[in-house]
Amino acid sequence: MERMAESIMNVATTLPEGVPLAAKGLLHLGSRAAVDQTLSRLAARGELIRAGRGIYMRPVQTRFGPRSPSAEQAIEALAVQRGETIVPSGAAAANALGLTTQVPVKSVYLTSGRSRVLNLGRQAVELRHAPRWQLALGNKASGQVVRALAWLGPDEAPNVLQILRSKLTEAAKTELVSAAPQFPTWLARLIGEMVHG
């Protein structure tokens, strides 16, 4: 068991910060049960962080001691590993675009995968399953606009169209118009108003 633990830690040290280890990626070291048990023991000893069901990460060593990987890097790596689209929530997008001064208290991301919570040390990151249209334009500025408007809702969203019109590039406006057919009717109408005035 210790030889497997050493082998798993050797693999973990080659990974960049925040890249998750999954049991399926370690099956060349032994049976699934043995890999799962060893990962669990490494997490109990503090050598790995159990971020969620079947997701482990190596703590980052700093001169002040170990810390959890950054949420952004962990989310990005998880998205690549699992083949999911994962983007910041509408509240975070609205804040990034300057549409609200409210800063989200919880880290919430929207995902094409199942809803779940990742525990990165003391920080809990919530992944919420979202409809495909909210994830359509990914991490682009146009995608942020879609999520921010969806978060504001049909009553509040019309109040920010002027602000968005001045902030968006022509390319972003074109992306929004191209993607509009997949949005709910109210949102498609607002996008048309924003772009075409």
Side-chain angles (χ1 to χ4, degrees), residues 12-196:
T13 55
T14 64
L15 299 173
E17 178 182 337
V19 173
L21 275 169
K24 281 186 179 177
L26 301 168
L27 293 178
H28 62 283
L29 300 174
S31 71
R32 177 65 190 252
V35 169
D36 283 340
Q37 190 173 34
T38 306
L39 285 169
S40 188
R41 285 184 181 158
L42 286 168
R45 291 196 308 225
E47 294 181 53
L48 292 176
I49 296 168
R50 184 178 187 270
R53 196 173 108 211
I55 302 170
Y56 295 85
M57 296 180 183
R58 183 174 49 92
V60 179
Q61 297 300 327
T62 68
R63 63 185 181 147
F64 303 110
R67 69 164 175 80
S68 299
S70 80
E72 291 78 21
Q73 288 176 310
I75 292 295
E76 194 175 305
L78 183 68
V80 170
Q81 185 187 66
R82 299 284 168 104
E84 293 178 33
T85 301
I86 303 177
V87 294
S89 69
N95 180 270
L97 290 167
L99 304 178
T100 179
T101 56
Q102 293 177 7
V103 179
V105 176
K106 288 173 38 178
S107 290
V108 178
Y109 289 82
L110 304 179
T111 179
S112 58
R114 63 181 174 76
S115 295
R116 57 203 186 273
V117 175
L118 293 181
N119 295 303
L120 302 174
R122 293 186 185 130
Q123 183 181 13
V125 178
E126 185 180 348
L127 298 177
R128 285 186 192 154
H129 178 76
R132 193 177 326 160
W133 64 267
Q134 284 192 22
L135 308 170
L137 297 165
N139 280 315
K140 298 177 179 180
S142 51
Q144 278 190 321
V145 168
V146 170
R147 290 187 303 282
L149 291 173
W151 178 74
L152 288 167
D155 296 331
E156 294 296 319
N159 302 333
V160 299
L161 292 185
Q162 192 62 40
I163 298 168
L164 289 174
R165 190 178 293 128
S166 64
K167 287 187 176 208
L168 289 176
T169 63
E170 289 305 314
K173 290 176 184 174
T174 303
E175 290 169 353
L176 283 165
V177 169
S178 297
Q182 60 189 304
F183 301 150
T185 305
W186 70 267
L187 184 56
R189 186 180 307 119
L190 281 179
I191 299 248
E193 285 176 28
M194 180 181 65
V195 174
H196 302 298

Side-chain angles (χ1 to χ4, degrees), residues 1-10 38 42 45 47:
M1 217 34 110
E2 278 309 306
R3 186 174 294 138
M4 185 180 288
E6 193 176 308
S7 299
I8 288 174
M9 288 311 296
N10 286 340
T38 306
L42 286 168
R45 291 196 308 225
E47 294 181 53

